[in-house]
Amino acid sequence: MPQDQPTAIHRQDYRPPDYRIETVDLEFDLEPSATRVKARLAITAAYDGGAVRPLVLHGDALELMSVALDGRVLGAGDYALTDKSLTIAKPPATFTLDIETRINPAANTQLSGLYVSNNVFCTQCEAEGFRRITYFLDRPDVMAVYRTTIRADRAQYPVLLSNGNLVEQRDIEGGRHMAVWHDPFPKPSYLFALVAGDLACNEDHFTTRSGRDVTLRIFVEHGKVERTGYAMDCLKRSMRWDEERFGLEYDLDLFNIVAVSDFNMGAMENKSLNVFNDRYILADPQTATDADYAGIETVVSHEYFHNWTGDRITCRDWFQLSLKEGLTVFRDHEFSSDQRSRPVTRIQNVRALRARQFPEDGGPLAHPVRPDSYIEINNFYTATIYEKGAELIGMMQTVLGRDGFRKGMDLYVQRHDGQAVTCDDFAAAMADANGVDLGQFKLWYSQAGTPELTIEGKYDARDGSYALSVAQRCPPTPGQPDKQPMHIPLAVGLLDAQGRDIRLQLDGEDTSAATPGRVLAVTAPQQTFRFRNVPEPRALSVNRGFSAPVNITLKQSGAERAFLMGHDSDPVARWEAGQQFATDLMLKRVDEIQRHAVSAYDPAFAEAIGQILRDDGLEKAFAAEAIALPGADYLAERMAVVDVEAIHAAREALRVTIAQALRRDLGRIFDANTSGAPFSPDAESAGRRALRNAVLSYQAALAADDPGVAPHLLDLYRAADNMTDRMAALRLLVDVAGSERQAALDDFYERYRDDPLVVDKWLSLQAVSALPDTLDRVKALLGHPAFAMEKPNKVRALIGAFTASNPLRYHAADGSGYAFHAERTLALDPINPQVAARLLAPLGRWQRFDAARQAKMKAELQRILAAPKLSPDVYEIASKSLA
Ligand code: TRP
Ligand code: ZN
């Protein structure tokens, strides 16, 4: 056990700050291992009446050089210093505090605060990194106007950036230069940013709809500027879209983006100075896949959209994190839906939600979208806060309609611009703008867990009525044994024998209210919706558009599912019918494998896949999704006790069955979608490649019996003229033992060894291989020059890919995967606790496995907890995982 266990912070304990900081004047003298920071803070007491309250400033890893109050230097007896705070017992009501600190950015491997990445100084202050720069009231409800002076060596750091407008830049003595920045918008400390380095720049312009000319700059390391074109295009499209969809315009004359190679997450929305992980900026056809391009579009837009939902209107406290993150993810999903195919974007978001958020919501780390307590806030940048938070906003839009939602957004901005507010404030703006009561709906903020709906439909031919009964239940989660019924917007439809939508008229409504499909308000534990004047239905379609993030139990035959796969007018439900059909089949096979009584797969599924392949009217990106089987993770979620080997075997067998049954169709579609046209990242071309490579994945399933497959994959690998196709072939080849595999991996490394982002792909591919010696190879790669524990991208690419994306080998029966995970966690924790903690989740899923694996997983968690010095980050995840 760690010497002193970190304590939890509770939402109910929130109190407004005792002091306000109106302005912050910062001066940085940058040196990699000894940077001096002078901070001048204009402070005012904010409490009313009573005894003088102490001023307690946060600090972390700071060396205090001096502190002066209203110009008078304070002696050691005038303040109290701990390793986490600086306290002044009785300050006046209004005063100026001058603080000088010294920090060591070069030694900052946590990448929080001011650090150096490839000789570039950069900051990461969210959530609590500013206190690693100077002593401060480092909480989001303290908003100040910042002026920042940066001094640094001119040759090594020609580019000096901070938030807001450049006030002046000039040379000073000693080969140094300086720049002064001023940000007119009050902001919390977590949005402060500074960058200094030798960077190249792509400059462009954007004219806002009110005529403001905004200079756009993307800074990257030299030699990379040619790869910033797509990100710039995404930025301009985001700016236009936010004006058109939400009436929100950019508010300064300059918008800067800087991409760095070492970064804890994807990117950061600092006011007018977004800082990015390289991987969400840099792209060209030779080095980025279609998925990489899509990721760039998502993250560039996300950070830009934060300018209103996050920066202009921020969070009162960190329990409100989803106020900005859920809303901004919703906005970037909407943007991608408008720029690409809406159904395909939705399908991909649902896949991600099920792969990452549902397991979190069903495990020991489950928490509400608005949590009630935390130990380390960095652990709460979760799929629940982001993705479930976005679902919650999407449901509001479904309930209020697009126009109603827009009215609510307008009111939210009008009421709260310039403020630090709560999730309740957001919901109140939505409710007030529409004159509705969202009381029950708000349970989505406070109740954790994925609701389960049990649905049954009954047709009565005598009176032409259809009764749809819906029962809801939300499973218990940590600290929440009992749940109240939620308001779940459930979109449904009924298909007739021709596959057309039947018009739905609820009991008590007149005929004119009938619509083809409707959104039902599920609000009670058990409800029956009755429809009138219904002709004989052929199939029921539920949760269209994935209108609510819930699990559904609905008994349907393979024939019904196949019918929906072929006819549902809602593409998301059409895709889902195929997913559920495949899931039914594979889970049945898993059971048969366990009982040693395997029967043949129902040919109706392959036939339904064949029909999708032969349907020329379908969007190709949609067809690619519709023929792709649910992942092993999803199947695991659906089992009482996970059996990774049986899941793998069942999934492989279904791939083989389909490949054999549809050999000719697959070959034809592959050829038809292999074009000689030059690469273009647009959605339609990407869809063509997605379909081609989904087909290839079936063809490759025959590798075990067909010695021609591996050489064919190697040929495709070599012939590829873009990274999407090259990676697709290599991903399949890494599962096939033999000389072709090694030849391709060696070739890949030699080709791209100087390109860190592509080398990340090389590491990941080897880590996700299904081959039995994968862990040994991963361990060997830890010593490869391409790997470094100090670089989050490398850690995620190798260790993260193995622990989170290779269930078959991670859950090896001998526990070797778990032991490796614990050992790496302990090695990484002293270097970068944020990243170490984020990677730990898979070990906490022990409840889902058999007794032998449970024991091994728990033992590793205990080993982690027994370490002498553990960060609060890892302590929180490991201890909650065992609870
Ligand atoms: N707020 C950032 C976003 O959503 C993400 C973020 C939070 C982050 N904490 C961070 C990024 C720490 C880097 C490091 O875009
Ligand atoms: Zn965000």
Side-chain angles (χ1 to χ4, degrees):
M1 278 291 151
Q3 296 86 347
D4 48 346
Q5 286 175 12
T7 50
I9 299 172
H10 298 273
R11 184 167 60 86
Q12 292 305 337
D13 294 344
Y14 174 82
R15 282 198 308 124
D18 287 337
Y19 291 87
R20 278 196 294 271
I21 303 179
E22 318 278 353
T23 61
V24 179
D25 243 295
L26 295 167
E27 286 182 43
F28 288 83
D29 280 287
L30 295 176
E31 290 293 345
S33 47
T35 286
R36 298 234 175 193
V37 184
K38 287 185 192 157
R40 171 166 293 182
L41 314 178
I43 305 182
T44 323
Y47 54 91
D48 28 46
V52 175
R53 307 227 181 124
L55 171 71
V56 186
L57 300 177
H58 303 110
D60 182 25
L62 299 173
E63 189 183 346
L64 180 63
M65 307 305 286
S66 71
V67 48
L69 198 155
D70 284 335
R72 185 178 72 87
V73 175
L74 300 186
D78 299 328
Y79 57 86
L81 201 60
T82 73
D83 60 348
K84 292 279 144 73
S85 66
L86 169 72
T87 302
I88 297 175
K90 291 191 170 172
T94 301
F95 61 103
T96 302
L97 204 60
D98 284 286
I99 302 171
E100 185 175 351
T101 50
R102 196 166 75 168
I103 52 181
N104 186 347
N108 183 352
T109 59
Q110 295 187 26
L111 313 188
S112 162
L114 179 65
Y115 65 94
V116 181
S117 167
N118 269 3
N119 209 34
V120 178
F121 282 94
C122 68
T123 53
Q124 173 53 43
C125 292
E126 187 174 7
E128 298 178 336
F130 192 73
R131 64 187 64 185
R132 293 163 57 81
I133 294 172
T134 188
Y135 291 96
F136 203 74
L137 288 176
D138 193 11
R139 44 186 287 171
D141 55 356
V142 173
M143 297 170 81
V145 170
Y146 285 66
R147 169 185 292 270
T148 305
T149 301
I150 311 168
R151 288 185 282 266
D153 185 89
R154 192 182 54 225
Q156 284 203 71
Y157 313 105
V159 174
L160 305 176
L161 305 172
S162 190
N163 317 89
N165 304 310
L166 180 63
V167 178
E168 69 160 311
Q169 176 149 13
R170 62 185 165 83
D171 291 347
I172 52 177
E173 68 284 1
R176 294 172 77 80
H177 66 155
M178 65 171 281
V180 181
W181 291 83
H182 180 257
D183 181 359
F185 291 97
K187 64 169 174 288
S189 50
Y190 83 86
L191 290 174
F192 170 79
L194 174 155
V195 171
D198 188 2
L199 300 167
C201 171
N202 173 3
E203 180 172 313
D204 206 329
H205 286 264
F206 178 84
T207 307
T208 69
R209 63 171 186 179
S210 70
R212 179 196 289 272
D213 174 63
V214 184
T215 301
L216 310 174
R217 296 202 177 106
I218 300 181
F219 292 92
V220 292
E221 288 171 11
H222 288 286
K224 297 179 174 174
V225 82
E226 287 68 32
R227 281 193 268 164
T228 60
Y230 187 72
M232 183 65 89
D233 176 56
C234 292
L235 175 59
K236 291 189 286 187
R237 285 188 281 120
S238 307
M239 296 176 87
R240 187 63 72 213
W241 184 88
D242 215 10
E243 293 179 346
E244 287 169 357
R245 177 72 180 271
F246 288 110
L248 297 173
E249 240 184 270
Y250 189 61
D251 50 12
L252 285 164
D253 300 334
L254 181 61
F255 186 81
N256 284 323
I257 285 178
V258 178
V260 296
S261 50
D262 305 307
F263 204 67
N264 277 351
M265 309 254 264
M268 180 63 212
E269 70 264 24
N270 318 297
K271 181 76 188 186
S272 79
L273 178 50
N274 289 356
V275 178
F276 275 66
N277 188 323
D278 268 348
R279 64 173 299 209
Y280 291 112
I281 291 294
L282 303 175
D284 66 24
Q286 292 313 311
T287 58
T289 62
D290 289 320
D292 294 330
Y293 278 95
I296 290 170
E297 188 170 76
T298 297
V299 180
V300 168
S301 64
H302 179 98
E303 305 311 330
Y304 174 73
F305 296 149
H306 266 315
N307 187 55
W308 278 97
T309 52
D311 296 5
R312 291 282 289 254
I313 306 176
T314 193
C315 304
R316 185 191 72 175
D317 56 74
W318 291 121
F319 296 104
Q320 320 299 328
L321 183 56
S322 198
L323 172 78
K324 73 176 176 82
E325 295 304 348
L327 179 55
T328 304
V329 171
F330 166 79
R331 278 151 55 67
D332 82 53
H333 285 175
E334 284 294 292
F335 172 68
S336 292
S337 300
D338 285 347
Q339 302 286 310
R340 294 163 178 253
S341 152
R342 181 165 284 268
V344 172
T345 302
R346 185 65 185 144
I347 288 166
Q348 290 168 348
N349 292 339
V350 171
R351 271 195 206 279
L353 187 76
R354 278 182 171 156
R356 303 198 300 121
Q357 201 278 324
F358 280 22
E360 182 170 274
D361 230 353
L365 301 174
H367 54 276
V369 167
R370 184 191 57 203
D372 294 312
S373 76
Y374 60 77
I375 291 175
E376 171 53 63
I377 185 56
N378 285 316
N379 285 331
F380 282 76
Y381 289 76
T382 60
T384 297
I385 302 293
Y386 278 67
E387 268 76 37
K388 188 177 182 179
E391 291 298 316
L392 191 161
I393 305 292
M395 285 188 285
M396 280 194 197
Q397 180 171 260
T398 301
V399 169
L400 302 172
R402 257 203 201 203
D403 292 343
F405 185 80
R406 170 66 196 268
K407 275 191 214 147
M409 279 294 288
D410 289 352
L411 184 60
Y412 174 65
V413 171
Q414 185 197 321
R415 275 185 185 169
H416 299 298
D417 187 13
Q419 300 174 7
V421 302
T422 63
C423 296
D424 281 334
D425 292 324
F426 181 82
M430 283 291 155
D432 295 350
N434 291 280
V436 298
D437 177 0
L438 291 175
Q440 187 184 13
F441 183 83
K442 281 169 62 183
L443 289 168
W444 282 103
Y445 280 109
S446 57
Q447 289 191 157
T450 306
E452 295 167 5
L453 296 186
T454 305
I455 301 178
E456 212 178 329
K458 268 212 184 77
Y459 180 63
D460 188 336
R462 286 166 313 175
D463 65 356
S465 72
Y466 191 90
L468 189 70
S469 79
V470 183
Q472 65 163 298
R473 173 186 169 270
C474 187
T477 48
Q480 297 188 333
D482 302 305
K483 308 289 167 90
Q484 295 183 308
M486 319 254 263
H487 174 186
I488 298 169
L490 183 69
V492 302
L494 275 180
L495 277 63
D496 71 13
Q498 280 71 48
R500 293 173 307 213
D501 272 318
I502 295 171
R503 297 177 73 82
L504 297 179
Q505 171 193 359
L506 276 170
D507 207 8
E509 290 177 344
D510 58 64
T511 328
S512 65
T515 51
R518 15 206 327 165
V519 181
L520 304 173
V522 175
T523 53
Q526 166 76 55
Q527 255 165 302
T528 301
F529 300 89
R530 273 174 224 287
F531 301 107
R532 292 283 166 224
N533 302 322
V534 180
E536 171 100 44
R538 174 73 179 81
L540 168 66
S541 167
V542 298
N543 210 17
R544 285 182 158 181
F546 212 71
S547 61
V550 297
N551 279 311
I552 289 180
T553 304
L554 168 64
K555 291 217 174 61
Q556 278 183 321
S557 66
E560 280 172 295
R561 300 224 197 266
F563 186 78
L564 290 166
M565 283 172 80
H567 297 97
D568 201 318
S569 63
D570 176 64
V572 178
R574 199 171 170 182
W575 163 78
E576 174 70 344
Q579 297 293 296
Q580 294 310 320
F581 195 172
T583 301
D584 290 348
L585 295 179
M586 288 188 281
L587 290 180
K588 177 163 168 277
R589 171 64 69 100
V590 164
D591 185 57
E592 292 173 353
I593 291 172
Q594 290 172 338
R595 291 187 293 104
H596 304 286
V598 171
S599 65
Y601 271 125
D602 179 355
F605 183 67
E607 185 39 44
I609 296 286
Q611 279 184 18
I612 291 170
L613 288 174
R614 291 187 289 270
D615 185 342
D616 293 329
L618 290 177
E619 201 184 350
K620 293 186 177 191
F622 173 79
E625 293 294 345
I627 68 168
L629 299 180
D633 283 350
Y634 180 68
L635 298 173
E637 276 291 292
R638 296 280 306 266
M639 290 183 70
V641 179
V642 179
D643 180 341
V644 286
E645 277 115 7
I647 288 173
H648 183 74
R651 206 168 171 278
E652 289 308 299
L654 186 53
R655 287 174 66 208
V656 170
T657 301
I658 291 168
Q660 286 168 339
L662 302 176
R663 195 184 280 268
R664 288 194 40 225
D665 288 309
L666 293 168
R668 188 175 54 77
I669 300 293
F670 183 86
D671 293 340
N673 290 282
T674 301
S675 90
F679 180 94
S680 158
D682 67 88
E684 202 189 316
S685 314
R688 187 167 36 70
R689 285 184 290 273
L691 182 55
R692 168 195 188 266
N693 292 325
V695 161
L696 180 62
S697 151
Y698 281 114
Q699 294 174 316
L702 300 175
D705 297 317
D706 180 351
V709 169
H712 176 58
L713 290 172
L714 181 58
D715 285 345
L716 291 175
Y717 164 84
R718 291 212 167 104
D721 69 348
N722 63 80
M723 186 53 88
T724 302
D725 291 342
R726 195 184 293 285
M727 277 289 283
L730 190 53
R731 170 64 193 93
L732 295 165
L733 198 47
V734 295
D735 284 349
V736 187
S739 61
E740 292 86 358
R741 171 194 146 100
Q742 202 52 49
L745 282 170
D746 291 348
D747 174 82
F748 193 89
Y749 186 69
E750 282 313 312
R751 257 176 216 261
Y752 302 112
R753 56 185 296 162
D754 296 326
D755 191 324
L757 290 177
V758 188
V759 172
D760 291 347
K761 298 183 193 302
W762 181 77
L763 294 170
S764 287
L765 280 171
Q766 297 177 82
V768 299
S769 165
L771 295 185
D773 62 351
T774 293
L775 178 56
D776 292 333
R777 289 174 188 267
V778 168
K779 286 179 179 169
L781 285 167
L782 292 174
H784 194 280
F787 182 80
M789 285 293 274
E790 289 72 27
K791 295 188 169 292
N793 283 356
K794 303 294 162 200
V795 171
R796 283 184 285 255
L798 186 63
I799 303 170
F802 178 75
T803 56
S805 306
N806 193 346
L808 182 65
R809 298 305 163 198
Y810 176 67
H811 292 286
D814 64 2
S816 54
Y818 311 141
F820 169 76
H821 195 182
E823 180 253 324
R824 282 299 98 198
T825 300
L826 291 173
L828 183 57
D829 192 38
I831 300 171
N832 191 327
Q834 272 185 45
V835 173
R838 285 187 82 76
L839 292 186
L840 203 48
L843 211 43
R845 305 266 152 80
W846 53 268
Q847 300 91 335
R848 312 278 301 112
F849 291 84
D850 55 84
R853 284 185 174 85
Q854 286 200 4
K856 292 188 167 76
M857 294 174 88
K858 285 201 273 189
E860 296 302 338
L861 285 166
Q862 269 143 3
R863 175 153 79 99
I864 291 171
L865 280 174
K869 265 196 185 161
L870 213 54
S871 65
D873 312 56
V874 168
Y875 169 79
E876 178 172 37
I877 302 291
S879 59
K880 288 183 176 172
S881 294
L882 274 172

